[in-house]
C-alpha cells in the first residue's frame, strides 16, 4: 500500500519529524552490486532534501539491475513506511523486498529467503509515494536489508533517495550495554575498610 501526498502531511505523520534519518548508523550502511563503492550513503538524507538529485547517487553495475542495501540503526526503531526515489528512463527499482535483523544477506540469501514484506514499486521521481509497512512486523528493528531485484527496463538501477519513517524505541545499543555493565558490582570498587586503612574488615 502506497501513501500519495495529496493531503496535509502534518496531519498524516508525513513530516520530517517522523524521519528515521538521524537514527541510521550511516558509517555502517553498505550495498551489494553498487557501481561506485560507498555511494549508497548518499541516498540517505533529510526528508526535505529527498528531491535533490544533482549529487551522488546509488547505481548498480552495468547490465545487472539488482541491488541489496543494508541499513543498521543506532537504536531499535519501529518503521511505518519506506519511500524510494529512483532514476529516470526505466532505471527506478520496480520491486522491493525487506528483511529485518539479519546481517550479511547476499543475493543468494535474498532469493531463497522469505521476505518480511514485498512491494511492487511505481516510478516515483517526485517523491510523493510512501510504501506502508505491516507495522506489527516492523517493531524492534535493529537493522533492515532492502533487496531491489529488478527495475523498469534500464541497463542499471538508480536510487537517489531512501527514506524511512517511524520512531526510535530505545537507547543506542552500546550505551545500554555500558549502563548494564555499570550496574554490575565491581569488587575492586568495594574494598573493605581494613584494605583502605579503616577500622572494619567485615562488609555487610
Amino acid at each position: 500500500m502506497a501513501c500519495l501526498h495529496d493531503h496535509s502531511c502534518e496531519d498524516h505523520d508525513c513530516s520530517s519529524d517522523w524521519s528515521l534519518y538521524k537514527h541510521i548508523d550511516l558509517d555502517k550502511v553498505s550495498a551489494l552490486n553498487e557501481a561506485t563503492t560507498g555511494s549508497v550513503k548518499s541516498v540517505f538524507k533529510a526528508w526535505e532534501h529527498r528531491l535533490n538529485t544533482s549529487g551522488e547517487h546509488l547505481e548498480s553495475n552495468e547490465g545487472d539491475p539488482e541491488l541489496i542495501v543494508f541499513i543498521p540503526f543506532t537504536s531499535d526503531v519501529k518503521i511505518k513506511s519506506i519511500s524510494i526515489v529512483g532514476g529516470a528512463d526505466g532505471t527506478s527499482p520496480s520491486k522491493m523486498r525487506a528483511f529485518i535483523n539479519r546481517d550479511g544477506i547476499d543475493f543468494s540469501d535474498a532469493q531463497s529467503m522469505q521476505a518480511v514484506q514485498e512491494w511492487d514499486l511505481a516510478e516515483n521521481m517526485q517523491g510523493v509515494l510512501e510504501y506502508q509497512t505491516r507495522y506489527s512486523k516492523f517493531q524492534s528493528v535493529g537493522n533492515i536489508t532492502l533487496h531491489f531485484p529488478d527495475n523498469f527496463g534500464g541497463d542499471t538501477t538508480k536510487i537517489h533517495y531512501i527514506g524511512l519513517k517511524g520512531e526510535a524505541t530505545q537507547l543506542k545499543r552500546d550505551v545500554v550495554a555500558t549502563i548494564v555493565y555499570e550496574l554490575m558490582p565491581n569488587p575492586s570498587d568495594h574494598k573493605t575498610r581494613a584494605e583502605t586503612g579503616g577500622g572494619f574488615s567485615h562488609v555487610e
Side-chain angles (χ1 to χ4, degrees):
M1 178 182 177
C3 169
L4 181 63
H5 291 253
D6 55 357
H7 52 244
S8 170
C9 285
E10 288 74 14
D11 294 337
H12 288 77
D13 297 339
C14 298
S15 71
S16 58
D17 290 344
W18 289 91
S19 172
L20 292 173
Y21 167 65
K22 60 184 176 293
H23 297 291
I24 295 173
D25 194 346
L26 198 57
D27 288 341
K28 296 179 182 177
V29 168
S30 62
L32 296 182
N33 197 38
E34 59 180 336
T36 302
T37 302
S39 60
V40 64
K41 293 178 173 60
S42 69
V43 305
F44 298 98
K45 60 192 82 171
W47 184 80
E48 56 268 25
H49 298 149
R50 68 194 184 284
L51 299 183
N52 182 3
T53 60
S54 60
E56 193 176 14
H57 62 271
L58 173 62
E59 185 171 5
S60 68
N61 285 297
E62 185 77 23
D64 185 356
E66 200 168 8
L67 284 168
I68 285 179
V69 178
F70 174 70
I71 309 164
F73 299 98
T74 57
S75 63
D76 280 357
V77 300
K78 300 176 182 180
I79 301 175
K80 303 175 70 170
S81 66
I82 303 173
S83 178
I84 306 293
V85 177
D89 302 320
T91 61
S92 289
S94 61
K95 191 177 185 67
M96 176 172 66
R97 307 172 70 234
F99 304 89
I100 292 173
N101 297 336
R102 299 292 296 266
D103 295 341
I105 291 178
D106 59 20
F107 290 110
S108 177
D109 296 327
Q111 291 163 3
S112 62
M113 291 168 53
Q114 180 69 40
V116 175
Q117 189 171 348
E118 301 186 6
W119 299 262
D120 289 323
L121 305 181
E123 293 179 284
N124 183 35
M125 271 75 77
Q126 301 305 313
V128 296
L129 293 176
E130 290 183 356
Y131 297 90
Q132 307 302 305
T133 66
R134 297 189 188 105
Y135 192 49
S136 63
K137 294 182 179 294
F138 287 76
Q139 309 287 305
S140 300
V141 179
N143 64 67
I144 184 171
T145 299
L146 299 179
H147 176 217
F148 303 96
D150 208 350
N151 60 20
F152 288 93
D155 289 336
T156 64
T157 294
K158 295 180 183 179
I159 297 176
H160 293 281
Y161 172 78
I162 296 177
L164 301 154
K165 294 283 184 68
E167 58 185 313
T169 59
Q170 70 180 46
L171 292 171
K172 188 175 180 180
R173 282 184 173 74
D174 56 1
V175 173
V176 173
T178 301
I179 293 171
V180 172
Y181 176 79
E182 290 297 334
L183 288 174
M184 297 174 64
N186 184 340
S188 65
D189 293 337
H190 302 279
K191 295 180 183 293
T192 65
R193 299 191 72 176
E195 291 173 285
T196 57
F200 297 99
S201 60
H202 181 64
V203 178
E204 296 293 345

